[in-house]
């Protein structure tokens, strides 16, 4: 029932699915996430990369999704050298793992140093970021229908644009990182946008993926700022079509206006 303008009436609403999804490596479950059950191969690759389980998509030999009564189990098989390293890491764990900073059992691991990001191939026009922000809501097909999911998108100055969605902000970013890795796209050629606040985990995942610029529609935490500053990442927050705040490393951004608007390029939401 919907109450509107003083009247109650029956109505329909599209809702986002939320499912327990296990990420299992060689028969051993690493984490169970509440996530949207789509783009699961992207999710498996991206999670494996951003959590440091693999260093490239080539380290994963096979991905299979198994349905169970309680949810989905993503079975991931690693290449032999990487699998041996993972098994060794699992044996050293003190206890079970959960979501968030998954598979982390010490303060040192949670605060691991991030890779230093390259200065960038060229300065990024502020208008390019604004144009991408303008395109993002249209590209979020699932959120337009449900108003219940986060998005993570990658854009380049040439107009390339790809987006992934999930009920979890970390999951959406992992799916995007996995999509880029599977397509052989270097995150350093553009910038990543997220429709959430900037917590340290988002900075860590983007830095490990090699993204020099991370844009968010909401504000960052203090730890996220310190982590981005140390990694050499340009952090852009409170981002809207008509403006944004460059919190760290503003030297990557060119604030002069574009003489022409970049072409839309294509939107890949498959």
């Amino acid at each position: 029932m919907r109450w509107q303008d003083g009247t109650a009436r029956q109505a329909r609403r599209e809702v986002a699915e939320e499912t327990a999804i296990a990420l299992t490596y060689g028969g051993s479950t690493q984490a169970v996430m509440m996530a949207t059950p789509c783009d699961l191969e992207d999710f498996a690759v991206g999670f494996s990369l951003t959590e440091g389980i693999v260093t490239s998509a080539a380290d994963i030999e096979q991905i299979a999704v198994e349905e169970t009564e309680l949810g989905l189990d993503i079975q991931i098989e690693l290449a032999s050298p990487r699998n041996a390293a993972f098994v060794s890491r699992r044996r050293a764990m003190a206890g079970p793992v959960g979501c968030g900073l998954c598979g982390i059992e010490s303060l040192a691991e949670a605060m691991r140093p991030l890779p230093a990001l390259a200065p960038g191939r060229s300065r990024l026009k502020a208008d390019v970021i604004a144009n991408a922000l303008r395109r993002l809501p249209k590209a979020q097909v699932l959120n337009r229908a449900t108003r219940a999911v986060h998005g993570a998108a990658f854009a380049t100055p040439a107009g390339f644009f790809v987006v992934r969605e999930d009920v979890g902000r970390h999951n959406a970013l992992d799916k995007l990182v996995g999509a880029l890795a599977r397509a052989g796209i270097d995150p350093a050629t553009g910038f990543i946008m997220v429709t959430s606040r900037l917590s340290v985990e988002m900075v860590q995942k983007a830095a490990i993926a090699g993204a020099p610029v991370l844009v968010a529609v909401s504000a960052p935490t203090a730890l996220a700022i310190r982590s981005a500053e140390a990694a050499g990442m340009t952090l852009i927050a409170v981002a809207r079509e008509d403006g944004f705040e460059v919190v760290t490393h503003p030297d990557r951004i060119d604030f002069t206006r574009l003489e022409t608007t970049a072409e839309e390029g294509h939107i890949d939401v498959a």
Side-chain angles (χ1 to χ4, degrees), residues 35-73:
T36 304
C38 63
D39 300 312
L40 294 181
E41 290 197 0
D42 291 340
F43 186 29
V45 173
F47 178 90
S48 300
L49 286 167
T50 64
E51 294 300 327
I53 296 170
V54 302
T55 57
S56 76
D59 290 330
I60 298 176
E61 287 190 340
Q62 185 176 347
I63 299 171
V65 179
E66 179 181 331
E67 293 189 27
T68 74
E69 292 183 1
L70 299 177
L72 300 174
D73 192 348

Side-chain angles (χ1 to χ4, degrees), residues 117-120 186-191 206-207 210-214 232-235 249 252:
L117 296 164
D186 183 0
T189 60
F191 56 98
V213 179
L214 178 60
M233 175 185 290
T234 298
L235 209 58
H249 298 280
R252 283 199 183 91

Side-chain angles (χ1 to χ4, degrees), residues 19-23 31-35 43 47 98-100 102 170-171 174 205:
T19 304
I21 298 179
L23 293 118
V32 178
M33 314 293 282
M34 299 307 297
F43 186 29
F47 178 90
C99 59
C102 299
H170 306 94
N171 302 337
D174 279 337
K205 287 177 179 292

